[in-house]
Amino acid sequence: MGIETRFEQGMRVTDAKTMDVVEMVLGGKVNKEIVANINRHGGRAVGLTGKDGNLITARKLEMKAINPDTLTPEIIDIGMVGEVAGINPAIIISLEQANFIPVIAPVGVDESGRTYNINADLVAGKVAGALQAEKLILLTDVEGVRDKSGKLLNTIDIAEVQGLIDDGTIVGGMIPKVTCCPDAVAAGVKKTHIIDGRMEHACLLEVFTDQGVGTAVAEFR
């Protein structure tokens, strides 16, 4: 659409024009493609956004950073980017009971009706927590989290996450992926995983092999 893409700390800066595209693409084109593919392979999928059934209540995200000139914290305005204020899992539970698979676009709405783009990983973590899910599996386009030498970290204890962010091991788009994991565990999810969705049978290999193929984030201690 000719709109410049800009990210701050792994979050897409979203103005009004971008929000229209986000809602159109995520809630429409991409969501329906995923639904159609699941159904084509024998599943029973239903597409949703956070607006359906008041599934995702949002509020504007306030992102803070240190000003390099003054060395003081300041708020970065990244536009119509939200965070999850609440999850109402009733519609998901109803669909699950009827053997449907919900496919959720990460778009939420606040109390005044404003629409917000929310990071999909953060939404997934909150939904998993609200459902008390056994596992949260995040499929991405990298093998998992690597240390500074490039070696894959097969496991990360949730107590280590902030330190890995602070020392620069976890950067960019991997930050929201990893930070949603301790939140999900704290909400009752047993174990979280970050794996390469491009790998054939990645979910099976991660769950049913001793070492897995990605990074498991949980309370190991």
Side-chain angles (χ1 to χ4, degrees), residues 55 86-90 92-93 123-133 184 187-189:
L55 174 55
I87 298 288
N88 177 8
I92 298 177
I93 293 169
V123 169
K126 293 294 186 182
V127 169
L131 293 170
Q132 298 284 286
V189 177

Side-chain angles (χ1 to χ4, degrees), residues 169-188:
T169 301
I170 299 171
V171 296
M174 190 58 76
I175 292 176
K177 280 183 171 56
V178 177
T179 53
C180 80
C181 295
D183 289 344
V185 171

Side-chain angles (χ1 to χ4, degrees), residues 146-204:
R146 296 184 179 275
D147 64 17
K148 287 189 173 180
S149 68
K151 180 183 177 183
L152 178 68
L153 296 173
N154 295 112
T155 62
I156 298 175
D157 189 278
I158 57 174
E160 301 171 341
V161 168
Q162 191 57 51
L164 292 171
I165 294 172
D166 292 342
D167 71 10
T169 301
I170 299 171
V171 296
M174 190 58 76
I175 292 176
K177 280 183 171 56
V178 177
T179 53
C180 80
C181 295
D183 289 344
V185 171
V189 177
K190 300 294 190 299
K191 205 170 186 181
T192 66
H193 305 261
I194 301 170
I195 65 176
D196 188 347
R198 302 169 301 174
M199 178 184 293
E200 189 174 12
H201 307 310
C203 289
L204 294 174

Side-chain angles (χ1 to χ4, degrees), residues 49-144:
T49 76
K51 293 181 173 181
D52 294 303
N54 294 318
L55 174 55
I56 304 171
T57 305
R59 57 174 169 258
K60 184 177 174 63
L61 177 66
E62 288 191 354
M63 183 175 287
K64 295 182 180 180
I66 301 297
N67 186 309
D69 298 323
T70 64
L71 299 180
T72 57
E74 63 180 14
I75 295 176
I76 302 173
D77 187 355
I78 53 176
M80 301 172 75
V81 176
E83 60 182 347
V84 176
I87 298 288
N88 177 8
I91 190 170
I92 298 177
I93 293 169
S94 296
L95 288 170
E96 182 187 19
Q97 289 172 344
N99 294 317
F100 285 101
I101 302 167
V103 179
I104 304 166
V107 174
V109 62
D110 68 10
E111 293 177 350
S112 64
R114 292 189 187 90
T115 301
Y116 289 95
N117 176 27
I118 311 176
N119 179 275
D121 301 310
L122 301 181
V123 169
K126 293 294 186 182
V127 169
L131 293 170
Q132 298 284 286
E134 183 73 21
K135 287 184 180 293
L136 167 66
I137 300 178
L138 302 174
L139 301 179
T140 183
D141 59 357
V142 294
E143 192 176 2

